[in-house]
Amino acid sequence: MLVFTRKRGEAIVIGDGIEIRVLRVGTDGVRLGVTAPAAIPVHRLEIYEAIRAANLSAAAARAPERLSDLAARLRRQRRADGEP
Amino acid sequence: MSDSPDQNVILLVDALPGFEACRRFVLLASSEIAPFVRLQGLDDPRPAFLALDPRTVLDGYRAVLTDVERQRLDAEADDSLLWLSLVKIDGERAWANLRAPVVVNPRRMIGLQRLEADDVYALDHPLHQD
């Protein structure tokens, strides 16, 4: 891992057009500003990790036998809610 | 990317976290499992998902795409987008990921998964009755 020491207002640049700037340094956190092209998604790591875990556990090799029961119940529920 | 997208294949402009190698999915619908649909990956490891529209799960489900997301989807004002929450199944219990749905622009057949820090909806909203 590359390690930098940066002061408030200083930045690093990654590749073409990605800039990460230290906006504020507090006792309980550092506020960062990220400038990146729209095609480069930027996310908080813990959110990315949580969604990754959800995706991995959702990937099912096959549908369970009871799926049609659950599907039928959801259809009934929608009708009861007045949906078309 | 081709200008004339395959009519049946959805290309994810950003990969699903956890399945970075699979960008192409086919959407399979059948009346037997409606409102669920299947999302079958076409690139190894060919993940398969069950999914459903989050509005089917929660009346009044409402999420607004960011400008960047709309740009990524090439979404125009009158494009009707497809929203799909991935579903986790364990025995007779099932949960829908309402926080990070996959959103598809059917006109372009491109999609992405929302990864916003929006905690209004759960990653595992139960579909079963306790």
Side-chain angles (χ1 to χ4, degrees):
Chain A
M1 186 191 292
L2 272 174
V3 178
F4 299 90
T5 301
R6 302 278 66 194
K7 297 192 173 80
R8 185 163 54 86
E10 293 181 341
I12 64 168
V13 172
I14 301 172
D16 283 338
I18 302 174
E19 182 189 289
I20 301 171
R21 186 173 295 276
V22 177
L23 300 178
R24 195 182 67 213
V25 182
T27 50
D28 57 349
V30 176
R31 193 168 178 83
L32 300 175
V34 179
T35 307
I40 305 283
V42 178
H43 305 291
R44 291 165 180 79
L45 179 65
E46 66 274 19
I47 289 161
Y48 189 89
E49 290 291 336
I51 293 170
R52 180 173 186 275
N55 286 347
L56 288 170
S57 64
R62 59 186 179 279
E65 290 166 16
R66 302 295 297 270
L67 181 66
S68 53
D69 294 354
L70 183 58
R73 191 173 57 71
L74 285 170
R75 289 196 296 268
R76 283 197 302 275
Q77 188 179 312
R78 280 196 89 181
R79 280 198 296 274
D81 290 345
E83 302 249 346
Chain B
M1 191 163 36
S2 161
D3 280 344
S4 55
D6 186 311
Q7 290 195 330
N8 300 310
V9 178
I10 295 164
L11 180 75
L12 297 184
V13 289
D14 303 321
L16 300 181
F19 296 97
E20 286 75 8
C22 185
R23 295 295 187 117
R24 297 179 305 143
F25 284 84
V26 178
L27 187 67
L28 304 164
S30 79
S31 57
E32 193 184 326
I33 61 164
F36 294 102
V37 295
R38 291 175 208 277
L39 264 180
Q40 173 64 57
L42 296 179
D43 304 310
D44 286 336
R46 301 172 77 90
F49 297 96
L50 286 164
L52 80 176
D53 189 322
R55 289 164 290 199
T56 309
V57 180
L58 267 194
D59 245 9
Y61 176 92
R62 184 170 160 74
V64 178
L65 294 179
T66 64
D67 289 345
V68 168
E69 287 169 331
R70 294 192 69 83
Q71 253 176 47
R72 300 283 289 146
L73 290 171
D74 192 26
E76 290 167 8
D78 54 353
D79 277 335
S80 179
L81 304 178
L82 191 60
W83 289 66
L84 295 170
S85 283
L86 302 185
V87 174
K88 176 173 81 173
I89 304 234
D90 181 10
E92 294 182 12
R93 298 182 302 162
W95 300 262
N97 179 350
L98 301 186
R99 187 181 306 173
V102 174
V103 186
V104 175
N105 180 354
R107 183 176 57 81
R108 293 286 318 278
M109 289 303 273
I110 56 179
L112 54 76
Q113 184 173 28
R114 302 204 71 204
L115 305 181
E116 294 301 307
D118 179 353
D119 60 359
V120 176
Y121 297 112
L123 281 168
D124 55 353
H125 182 93
L127 299 176
H128 51 271
Q129 286 165 326
D130 286 318

